[in-house]
Amino acid sequence: MAKRALISVSDKAGVVEFASSLQRLGYEILSTGGTKNLLQEEGVPVIGVDEVTGFPEILEGRVKTLHPSIHGGLLAKQDNKAHMSQLDKQGIRPFDLVCVNLYPFQQTISNPAVTYEEAIENIDIGGPTMLRAAAKNHAHITVIVDALDYSTVLSQLEKDGSVNLETRKKLAAKVFRHTAAYDAHIARYLTDQAGEESPERFTLTYERQQDLRYGENPHQQAAFYRNPLGSEFSVAHARQHHGKELSYNNIKDADAALQIVKDFDEPAAVAVKHMNPCGAGRGSTVYEAFLKAYESDSTSIFGGIVAFNRAVDEKTAVKLAEIFLEIVIAPAFTEGAMEVLTAKKNLRLLTVPFDRKVAHEHLITSVEGGLLVQDQDQFTLENGDVRVVTDRQPTEEEWEAMKMAWKVVKHVKSNAIVVADSQMTLGIGAGQMNRVGAAKIALEQAGERSKGASLASDAFFPMDDTVEAAARAGITSIIQTGGSIRDEDSIKKANEWGITMVLTGIRHFKH
């Protein structure tokens, strides 16, 4: 008796050639709807599923394969006499191969204009059911969900007359990964549509982007996965034009650089090392912005990552080429800039669509045994309760300096202090165990440039010692969250030194 294959695919790439090869190998082919019509048009002998079930497709095709004549043939244990006897009694024949892929739900909801009704109609029911049944019964059935596996299956069938168990196990596992991801997209979409912010289960699915040579260190294995429905304004969706493959640390640092530079409206450049900015600048051109970012800390930028929010021109590229950098990220590179930068063999050049930076995603952090999920920190000064709490009001220049420092301190690991003027950072203290320690690092880095500059703190001052250190260094304006039971001590100290202080009411912890 001829072996039987059930083929029903939404993505029809390569299916005619695959079905033709199976037919030449002696397989009888059953199919449905559009797949059946295509195979018939291409001259591949095919039997309609409705001919086997004796029941027509109904409900606009919603019901066609959900029938014992199909699922009996999918689920029967072919080495079990009782099972096979029951099939014989009911006139059901078992399947040997199943090739199914699903309605394009992911692609459907990727369209911003998709309606709820369109999304619902693209939830496949029969396809996942057939796949799961065949994958469960992989001891007897070869199941294919990915056209990339056609050649592997045909190769084994042509050589050995069957697909070996090891391959069937791998294909079955792939099926369950595929259906799990499919259901995860549906669950996420419907959860969002229902307005559920903290559902009892949080289901994620990601697609492998690339295997990495190693993780943070050479002894750690790693891979990079991306959210297929995630923000296009991301490293995961960036286009790499030149240079070596991205490493684990490259990816994390590049993401950090993007998150900072996207907060600027005017031309800006940000340099990042080890997830922290080491310099940020803004100007009337990207060249001016980069010079300021470079001058912020011309030592730490070595081996760093630089991100721009405007296209990089040739003049800026020449300056960039003078420094050893790992990555340059921008919305675009001019032809001249590309010629200059591609002369550096290992420099990675990435472009990201800055016009698509509006997407909102959750931040997900793994801890052993679990995940932490939170909204992105999108708060700005406009969201806060900004108050001048000292006797002296800020000058216009001081306001601009405080705004600059506040934009950057949001992205610095806590405890965080940033010293800046209106155009650039001057000193950054990151990740310290106490706030005055972070301030001393930032002020020491800024040096003489602290005189007349602004200081920003990501959280309140628990004591007035940070104000004291800032004043002695020449800081004239301070912006911080406020909220300490000892706020008055810091305000009093600022008044003693003639410093203007602004409280924002917004904390920007970053752990």
Side-chain angles (χ1 to χ4, degrees), residues 193-208:
Q193 292 293 311
E196 296 276 3
E197 294 185 358
S198 297
E200 76 288 346
R201 294 183 186 276
F202 189 72
T203 308
L204 302 173
T205 183
Y206 289 80
E207 296 175 353
R208 188 178 61 203

Side-chain angles (χ1 to χ4, degrees), residues 113-400:
V114 68
T115 65
Y116 184 75
E117 291 72 22
E118 287 171 335
I120 295 301
E121 283 308 308
N122 275 278
I123 296 175
D124 202 327
I125 302 300
T129 307
M130 288 188 290
L131 282 172
R132 288 170 58 85
K136 176 177 179 176
N137 204 21
H138 67 269
H140 308 286
I141 296 177
T142 299
V143 58
I144 305 169
V145 73
D146 186 347
L148 293 176
D149 295 315
Y150 290 169
S151 60
T152 299
V153 169
L154 287 175
S155 176
Q156 290 192 20
L157 289 176
E158 289 166 354
K159 181 181 177 183
D160 304 320
S162 63
V163 178
N164 64 51
L165 180 59
E166 181 183 1
T167 300
R168 296 201 305 274
K169 283 182 178 179
K170 289 180 179 179
L171 293 173
K174 193 175 204 178
V175 162
F176 282 110
R177 291 196 300 271
H178 183 81
T179 57
Y182 192 80
D183 284 341
H185 286 313
I186 296 169
R188 186 76 256 160
Y189 176 80
L190 292 178
T191 298
D192 290 343
Q193 292 293 311
E196 296 276 3
E197 294 185 358
S198 297
E200 76 288 346
R201 294 183 186 276
F202 189 72
T203 308
L204 302 173
T205 183
Y206 289 80
E207 296 175 353
R208 188 178 61 203
Q209 175 99 330
Q210 68 186 85
D211 288 318
L212 301 173
R213 285 185 298 157
Y214 53 81
E216 284 181 300
N217 300 290
H219 58 273
Q220 294 172 271
Q221 290 187 338
F224 184 27
Y225 289 80
R226 75 174 180 179
N227 180 351
L229 295 174
S231 170
E232 292 184 57
F233 177 80
S234 65
V235 180
H237 292 263
R239 180 183 175 194
Q240 183 168 350
H241 299 265
H242 181 69
K244 297 186 296 185
E245 281 192 349
L246 296 174
S247 71
Y248 181 97
N249 293 329
N250 288 158
I251 292 165
K252 295 196 72 174
D253 284 342
D255 177 67
L258 276 179
Q259 298 312 313
I260 303 168
V261 81
K262 78 175 183 181
D263 278 355
F264 288 88
D265 296 320
E266 63 275 64
V270 173
V272 165
K273 283 286 287 291
H274 304 302
M275 297 287 289
N276 279 303
C278 58
R282 57 184 177 180
S284 59
T285 66
V286 291
Y287 182 75
E288 287 182 12
F290 175 66
L291 286 183
K292 291 181 171 63
Y294 173 74
E295 291 165 2
S296 296
D297 186 346
S298 58
T299 300
S300 297
I301 196 174
F302 182 85
I305 290 172
V306 177
F308 295 88
N309 63 354
R310 298 289 194 281
V312 173
D313 56 27
E314 185 174 356
K315 183 180 180 182
T316 307
V318 170
K319 191 67 179 175
L320 287 164
E322 295 174 0
I323 312 161
F324 169 61
L325 297 170
E326 292 279 0
I327 302 174
V328 179
I329 313 169
F333 296 87
T334 66
E335 185 176 339
M338 191 67 77
E339 184 176 347
V340 170
L341 294 174
T342 53
K344 298 178 77 72
K345 180 180 178 181
N346 294 325
L347 177 62
R348 303 160 177 91
L349 303 177
L350 305 181
T351 54
V352 174
F354 275 67
D355 58 337
R356 300 176 191 173
K357 65 181 181 180
V358 295
H360 171 69
E361 291 191 355
H362 287 100
L363 292 179
I364 301 166
T365 303
S366 65
V367 295
E368 191 162 352
L371 292 173
L372 292 169
V373 181
Q374 65 173 343
D375 288 334
Q376 289 184 338
D377 182 1
Q378 296 183 316
F379 270 44
T380 66
L381 285 178
E382 286 70 32
N383 304 116
D385 178 22
V386 180
R387 296 179 294 131
V388 179
V389 292
T390 48
D391 296 337
R392 186 171 73 79
Q393 294 288 314
T395 66
E396 184 175 341
E397 181 72 11
E398 286 172 332
W399 267 120
E400 290 304 311

